[in-house]
Amino acid sequence: MKIRFSAFLSALAIASTLMAGVSFASDVALTSVGQSPDAMMVKVVLKSLKIVPDYEALMKAEELSGQKVLIAVVGGSSKGLGAAGIDKDQEVARSKALLEKAKADNMKILVMHVGGPGRRGALSDLFISAAVPFADALIIVDKDNTDMDGLFSKLVEGKSIEILSADNVRGTKEPLESVLSSWGVI
Amino acid sequence: MRSSRGTALTAAALCVAVALICFVSARSFLAMRLPDPVAPAQGFERYNLSHWFPALKGSPGDSDVYIQDSGVPGGTVFIMGGTHPNEPSGYMAAVVYLERAKVTKGRLIVMPFANATAMGHNSPQEASPQYFSLDVDGGTRWFRYGSRATNPVYQWPAPDIYIHAQSGQKLDGGSKSNLNRAYPGVPDDSLTQQVAYGIIQLLNKEKVDLAFDLHEASPEYPVVNAIVAHNRAMELAAMVSMELEMAGIPMRLEPSPVNFRGLSHREWGDHSDALAILMETGNPSQGRLRGKTDAALAVTGKDKAYLKAAALGRLFIPYEGDQTLDLRTARHVTSMKMFMDMLGDVKEGGDVEVEGIPSFDDMMERGIGAFLSPVEDDRFDGK
Ligand SMILES: [Zn+2]
C-alpha cells in the first residue's frame, strides 16, 4: 500500500512537471544579437525544455508583447548581418533599444554566448559589450576559454550575477532550465 | 668530328617520336572523359538527368542519377556530389552512400558527379592531378580529380561578364561555367545553365524533402568545415550542428545569404520545397598556399606550407599536418546521416531511414576504400 501511495505521488509529481513544462509560448522572447545562427541553436535547446519561444532574429523593441523573459544570444556573424541586410551599428542600435524596452517592461533578461572562443573577436565583442550589461543572468559555453581575457566578468562586475557555464550548446539545457524555473517560466 | 646534321631518316624518326608522344598524351587526356565506374548498392535504379529535363538527352551534361525506393512511405533525400570536381570529398561521400546505402524508409536519390563534363578535364595552371586512387578490398579504385568549371569544349567562349538570368547579378565571365552560380538554371542557355535547370526539375518532380550539395574549400577560406543552410533548413541544421559538436566533429553553421544568387543553398530552397544544405570540408589540394600538387596531396592533405599557416593561425580548420580524404569524406557522410535521422522531427512524414552507412570512426580507422566495392576499370592502365 505504501509503495502504491508513493507511486501515486511520483506520478503526480511527473504529471505536474509535464504540465508546468507546457509553458505559454509568449513567456519567452528569443533574439540574436549579432545575427549568428547561435540563437537558432538556443531555440532548439528550448524546444527540448518544451518551450516554444517567440523567436525573431531581428526582433524590434515594439514587438515585445507581454513576455516575461528575453533571451539574447550574442555572437557576431558578418554573413548573418549581410543576409539581414544591415551593418553592425544598426544591429547594436536595434539590440540596445530592445534590451532597454525589456528592462523598462520589467522583463528578466538572459544573455547567452554559445559559440565558444570561435565567436569572439572584434565583431562579436562589440555585441557582447552592448548586451551583457543588461543581463540578469549569463550563460556561457566553454567559459574558461571563451572568457579567457575576462571581458564577460568585467562587464558584469559589481552586479550580483553569476556566470553559468556549459560544456557545449546542448549542455546549456541544464543552466537554462534552472534560470528559467527560478524566474517562474518553467 | 662527326657531323650531327639531320638526314631524312632522323627527320622521319623525329616525326614518329612526336606522333607517339601526342598519341600517348592525348590518350591520357581523353581518358579523363570516361566516367568513373561505380558499384551501386542493391536497390538503386539508374537514371539520367534528362529523365527530368529531356533537352539534355545525349548531351555530355546528362549526368547519372540513382534512386533507391524502400517501398515504405517516407521522405525523399537528394545527395549531390561533383558540383566542383576538384573537391573530391564531395563526390566520394555521395559514392559511399551510392555503394553502401540500404534504404528502409522513404527514398534516397544520389547524383555523384553532378557536373559531368567538369569531371573530364583539369583547371589550367593549377597543376592538379588527373586522378587519385584508393585501395579497396580486392583491388584499386580510380577517381578523377576534375575542374571547378564545365569543360570549355562544350561551353566556350566565356562571356566578358556573366549575368545571372533571374536576378541580373553580374559576375566574372568564367562563373558562367560554375554550376554553383547557375541555379535555378535556364532551359535554353549554355550547358551549365541547362544542367542547373535539370536539377531544379528533379527536386520538384521527385518532391525532395532534404537536399545536399557537397563541397570542399581551401583551409584558409572562412566558410570551411561548415554547413550553409537555407533559412527554411536552419532549425534542422542547428539541431545537426549541435549533435555534431557533441560527437566531436564540429561543423560551423552559416546562414545562406539572401543577396548572393545562383547558389544551390539559396535557389534550391527558393525554387523547390527541399530543405537545402550545402556543406564544405577543408581540402589543402585546392588551397592557394599548397606546395607540390599531386594525387597524394588530394588523398592525404599533407602539406608543410599548411602546417606553417596553421601555426600562424591563418586557417579555419584544425590542421596538424594532414587532412585526409577519409576524414573529409567521413565528415560529409556522418553529417548527412544526422540530418536524415532528424528530418522526421521537423518535417512530418519526412522520415528517411538508411542502413549500411559506415560510422565516422569506422571510416577513420579503415579508410573509405574499405567501404567501396572493386570494379572493372581500365581507363588509367599502366599507372
Ligand atoms: Zn565547391
Side-chain angles (χ1 to χ4, degrees):
Chain A
M1 200 59 185
K2 224 176 195 173
I3 295 168
R4 268 211 194 152
F5 184 64
S6 64
F8 171 70
L9 269 188
S10 51
L12 202 70
I14 290 169
S16 57
T17 313
L18 282 177
M19 281 167 73
V22 189
S23 80
F24 293 105
S26 55
D27 278 354
V28 177
L30 171 67
T31 194
S32 164
V33 175
Q35 297 307 309
S36 79
D38 296 351
M40 182 55 95
M41 296 198 202
V42 172
K43 184 184 172 211
V44 172
V45 178
L46 285 168
K47 203 172 172 184
S48 72
L49 289 168
K50 301 209 162 33
I51 294 175
V52 182
D54 291 333
Y55 169 60
E56 201 58 67
L58 289 165
M59 186 177 285
K60 294 199 175 70
E62 57 270 26
E63 285 166 8
L64 289 175
S65 54
Q67 297 97 338
K68 293 180 186 156
V69 172
L70 173 65
I71 302 178
V73 183
V74 287
S77 159
S78 47
K79 277 213 155 180
L81 290 169
I86 54 173
D87 65 23
K88 57 183 194 306
D89 300 325
Q90 288 169 299
E91 175 67 349
V92 167
R94 175 194 71 86
S95 306
K96 277 196 162 161
L98 178 69
L99 289 157
E100 274 161 10
K101 175 79 171 22
K103 199 111 254 182
D105 290 355
N106 285 321
M107 288 173 73
K108 289 284 190 185
I109 297 172
L110 168 62
V111 175
M112 296 178 72
H113 183 282
V114 300
R119 265 307 168 217
R120 286 290 312 271
L123 184 65
S124 285
D125 289 1
L126 177 73
F127 299 118
I128 292 166
S129 305
V132 171
F134 288 92
D136 294 308
L138 190 54
I139 297 175
I140 300 176
V141 164
D142 193 7
K143 184 190 160 231
D144 291 348
N145 289 312
T146 304
D147 198 25
M148 197 108 97
D149 58 355
L151 174 65
F152 288 89
S153 315
K154 236 177 280 161
L155 288 167
V156 298
E157 214 165 49
K159 295 183 180 177
S160 58
I161 290 174
E162 193 189 353
I163 301 183
L164 301 167
S165 183
D167 289 344
N168 45 51
V169 192
R170 266 270 204 102
T172 61
K173 184 176 173 181
E174 213 177 288
L176 197 52
E177 185 170 22
S178 77
V179 168
L180 293 180
S181 67
S182 78
W183 290 345
V185 289
I186 291 188
Chain B
M1 204 179 125
R2 247 190 97 203
S3 152
S4 59
R5 194 179 299 168
T7 64
L9 196 67
T10 56
L14 208 59
C15 283
V16 169
V18 167
L20 203 69
I21 290 168
C22 286
F23 178 75
V24 169
S25 52
R27 221 176 105 91
S28 146
F29 182 68
L30 290 175
M32 276 198 78
R33 295 202 199 157
L34 299 172
D36 297 289
V38 288
Q42 214 180 348
F44 274 110
E45 274 183 56
R46 194 174 79 99
Y47 297 82
N48 285 89
L49 192 54
S50 56
H51 181 76
W52 295 274
F53 179 40
L56 280 173
K57 194 153 186 87
S59 92
D62 197 6
S63 192
D64 292 344
V65 179
Y66 301 83
I67 301 183
Q68 189 180 147
D69 189 340
S70 67
V72 179
T76 298
V77 170
F78 175 65
I79 295 177
M80 191 176 97
T83 293
H84 295 146
N86 58 335
E87 300 169 6
S89 85
Y91 49 91
M92 291 316 301
V95 169
V96 168
Y97 271 87
L98 180 62
E99 303 201 358
R100 302 296 301 190
K102 182 177 190 306
V103 186
T104 55
K105 188 168 197 180
R107 293 193 311 159
L108 180 62
I109 306 178
V110 181
M111 187 180 191
F113 308 112
N115 194 350
T117 76
M119 293 292 306
H121 74 126
N122 276 142
S123 301
Q125 301 182 337
E126 289 289 329
S128 309
Q130 280 182 295
Y131 39 78
F132 59 89
S133 66
L134 298 172
D135 292 330
V136 306
D137 249 357
T140 303
R141 287 282 293 268
W142 302 91
F143 293 93
R144 292 169 293 169
Y145 188 102
S147 163
R148 187 176 173 81
T150 301
N151 193 333
V153 167
Y154 308 110
Q155 182 168 332
W156 190 86
D160 291 337
I161 294 170
Y162 163 46
I163 299 172
H164 181 250
Q166 289 78 11
S167 64
Q169 165 185 277
K170 287 178 186 157
L171 292 172
D172 66 288
S175 288
K176 192 163 186 191
S177 298
N178 181 347
L179 180 57
N180 203 26
R181 298 293 180 274
Y183 299 105
V186 181
D188 54 357
D189 196 356
S190 309
L191 186 61
T192 314
Q193 282 59 42
Q194 289 186 309
V195 169
Y197 183 83
I199 291 167
I200 295 285
Q201 305 313 301
L202 183 160
L203 292 174
N204 281 308
K205 286 182 188 151
E206 298 306 323
K207 300 191 166 49
V208 171
D209 296 293
L210 172 63
F212 297 100
D213 181 14
L214 305 174
H215 288 250
E216 298 204 83
S218 317
E220 68 273 21
Y221 177 63
V223 184
V224 67
N225 281 358
I227 300 170
V228 187
H230 186 267
N231 48 327
R232 282 192 296 107
M234 210 57 185
E235 182 166 357
L236 177 61
M239 289 159 66
V240 169
S241 170
M242 284 162 57
E243 211 55 47
L244 286 166
E245 189 189 15
M246 295 292 285
I249 334 168
M251 294 280 269
R252 80 171 69 211
L253 179 57
E254 297 282 355
S256 166
V258 277
N259 40 6
F260 194 6
R261 300 294 305 273
L263 289 95
S264 58
H265 49 75
R266 158 76 20 221
E267 310 290 350
W268 289 6
D270 285 354
H271 292 90
S272 83
D273 288 334
L275 300 176
I277 299 291
L278 178 147
M279 294 197 289
E280 304 263 12
T281 55
N283 170 22
S285 70
Q286 71 181 116
R288 292 346 290 170
L289 310 178
R290 69 181 191 269
K292 185 180 176 188
T293 310
D294 54 9
L297 181 60
V299 174
T300 65
K302 250 185 214 158
D303 189 295
K304 52 182 194 259
Y306 272 104
L307 200 55
K308 241 185 206 171
L312 292 170
R314 297 290 177 180
L315 304 185
F316 290 86
I317 57 170
Y319 186 86
E320 286 163 5
D322 64 10
Q323 195 72 193
T324 63
L325 184 60
D326 293 328
L327 166 69
R328 286 138 53 200
T329 305
R331 268 183 179 283
H332 278 320
V333 169
T334 309
S335 305
M336 287 193 285
K337 187 70 172 52
M338 286 188 182
F339 268 100
M340 289 183 222
D341 289 346
M342 290 192 246
L343 176 60
D345 296 342
V346 298
K347 208 153 186 179
E348 209 168 319
D351 301 73
V352 172
E353 282 166 18
V354 177
E355 291 172 4
I357 304 304
S359 73
F360 185 84
D361 292 341
D362 281 347
M363 285 179 274
M364 292 305 290
E365 227 162 81
R366 299 172 57 196
I368 54 171
F371 302 97
L372 302 178
S373 313
V375 297
E376 286 287 328
D377 187 358
D378 52 10
R379 292 171 303 164
F380 306 119
D381 48 1
K383 294 279 177 185

